[in-house]
């Protein structure tokens, strides 16, 4: 059974930094593209970033230059380094698995339960 | 960016009713369209991928259709566990974008 467990979400001040982690199990982690998707009551679901199995990355414009996605395949862990945080980054952040092995198809077939990031002074 | 517009934003229905939700893309996305269900307090769940392919384990009362810019999700006979919010998402290219959601409520 696929399990994705996020951690690292806390209350942080504007301008601050945070690193989210996602521990993956139940599948061959290094064979799949992984994503971060966030959700707020006001703006709904927003894709944040992806990293392919060979390290290709992409970001939403709203986080480009501030967030960095990475993965450690030896630890089956996905990360999101978040810098220069803004109040509008406040959201529930989900770790999400791509559907197809060894290919990036942008279909989100498994989701974690999310970790809450609150940016406020 | 590709904008995804869902309608209606909410609907009321009864157990056993058939329900249709529509999603429109701001440009052609071929069949690169997915549907998700989100129950309160839970993460979204993939129901349909590539516009009409049923994800493993999803009941056959769910079906999807469409291509280009117009898509539909149909629930043939609503069950109690189907009262939830449904989202479409384009997988045509980044930035990946979602519709605003359709909340299916009990009439």
């Amino acid at each position: 059974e696929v399990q994705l467990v996020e951690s690292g979400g806390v209350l942080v001040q504007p301008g601050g930094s945070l690193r989210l982690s996602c521990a993956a199990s139940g599948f061959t982690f290094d064979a799949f593209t992984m994503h971060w998707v966030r959700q707020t009551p006001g703006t709904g679901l927003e894709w944040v970033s992806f990293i392919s199995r060979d390290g290709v990355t992409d970001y939403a414009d709203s986080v480009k230059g501030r967030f960095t996605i990475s993965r450690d395949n030896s630890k089956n862990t996905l990360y999101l380094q978040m810098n220069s945080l803004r109040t509008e980054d406040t959201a529930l952040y989900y770790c999400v698995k791509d559907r197809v092995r060894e290919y990036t198809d942008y279909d989100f077939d498994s989701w974690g339960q999310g970790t809450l990031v609150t940016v406020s002074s | 960016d590709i904008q995804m517009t869902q309608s209606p934003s909410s609907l009321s229905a009864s157990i056993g009713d058939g329900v249709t939700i529509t999603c429109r893309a701001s440009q052609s996305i071929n069949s690169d369209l997915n549907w998700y269900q989100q129950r309160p307090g839970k993460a979204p769940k993939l129901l349909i991928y590539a516009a009409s392919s049923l994800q493993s384990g999803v009941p056959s009362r769910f079906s999807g259709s469409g291509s280009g810019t117009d898509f539909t999700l149909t629930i043939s006979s609503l069950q109690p566990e189907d009262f939830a919010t449904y989202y479409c998402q384009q997988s045509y290219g980044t930035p990946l974008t979602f519709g605003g959601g359709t909340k299916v409520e009990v009439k």
Side-chain angles (χ1 to χ4, degrees):
Chain A
E1 177 194 4
V2 172
Q3 286 204 327
L4 300 168
V5 180
E6 304 94 337
S7 61
V10 292
L11 171 64
V12 61
Q13 291 190 336
S17 297
L18 201 56
R19 188 176 82 157
L20 305 183
S21 299
C22 170
S25 61
F27 66 102
T28 307
F29 181 73
D30 62 7
F32 289 87
T33 291
M34 298 295 296
H35 303 258
W36 289 98
V37 174
R38 65 187 183 184
Q39 186 170 30
T40 64
T43 58
L45 289 162
E46 181 186 17
W47 170 79
V48 173
S49 180
F50 86 77
I51 183 167
S52 71
R53 55 190 293 265
D54 53 357
V56 174
T57 62
D58 198 2
Y59 300 89
D61 285 347
S62 58
V63 307
K64 201 169 290 184
R66 301 187 298 122
F67 290 10
T68 302
I69 192 171
S70 62
R71 64 192 298 163
D72 186 337
N73 290 335
S74 69
K75 295 182 178 179
N76 289 350
T77 303
L78 178 71
Y79 302 100
L80 185 67
Q81 178 66 42
M82 310 165 69
N83 298 331
S84 303
L85 282 160
R86 305 168 180 167
T87 55
E88 55 264 36
D89 296 319
T90 294
L92 185 65
Y93 284 74
Y94 290 105
C95 169
V96 182
K97 173 186 163 292
D98 217 59
R99 186 178 59 85
V100 178
R101 183 186 180 99
E102 297 178 359
Y103 181 74
T104 300
D105 68 345
Y106 303 137
D107 304 338
F108 307 139
D109 79 335
S110 299
W111 299 60
Q113 284 307 298
T115 187
L116 182 63
V117 173
T118 304
V119 184
S120 175
S121 54
Chain B
D1 297 4
I2 299 173
Q3 308 304 316
M4 307 301 295
T5 304
Q6 279 183 244
S7 61
S9 57
S10 66
L11 64 90
S12 298
S14 301
I15 301 295
D17 285 352
V19 165
T20 297
I21 298 168
T22 64
C23 179
R24 175 164 289 175
S26 60
Q27 67 181 71
S28 177
I29 56 172
N30 299 330
S31 295
D32 296 332
L33 190 284
N34 304 321
W35 289 99
Y36 301 86
Q37 175 195 66
Q38 187 175 31
R39 297 185 177 120
K42 300 295 186 181
K45 171 188 173 183
L46 179 64
L47 299 176
I48 302 284
Y49 64 92
S52 60
S53 296
L54 195 67
Q55 172 69 351
S56 176
V58 174
S60 59
R61 63 181 179 273
F62 292 93
S63 64
S65 65
S67 65
T69 60
D70 294 313
F71 301 87
T72 61
L73 172 70
T74 300
I75 309 172
S76 60
S77 176
L78 268 176
Q79 298 303 299
E81 60 269 29
D82 299 339
F83 292 98
T85 300
Y86 294 84
Y87 296 93
C88 62
Q89 173 242 331
Q90 62 83 10
S91 56
Y92 183 77
T94 60
L96 307 171
T97 47
F98 292 84
T102 297
K103 187 173 184 179
V104 177
E105 300 175 299
V106 178
K107 182 182 283 185

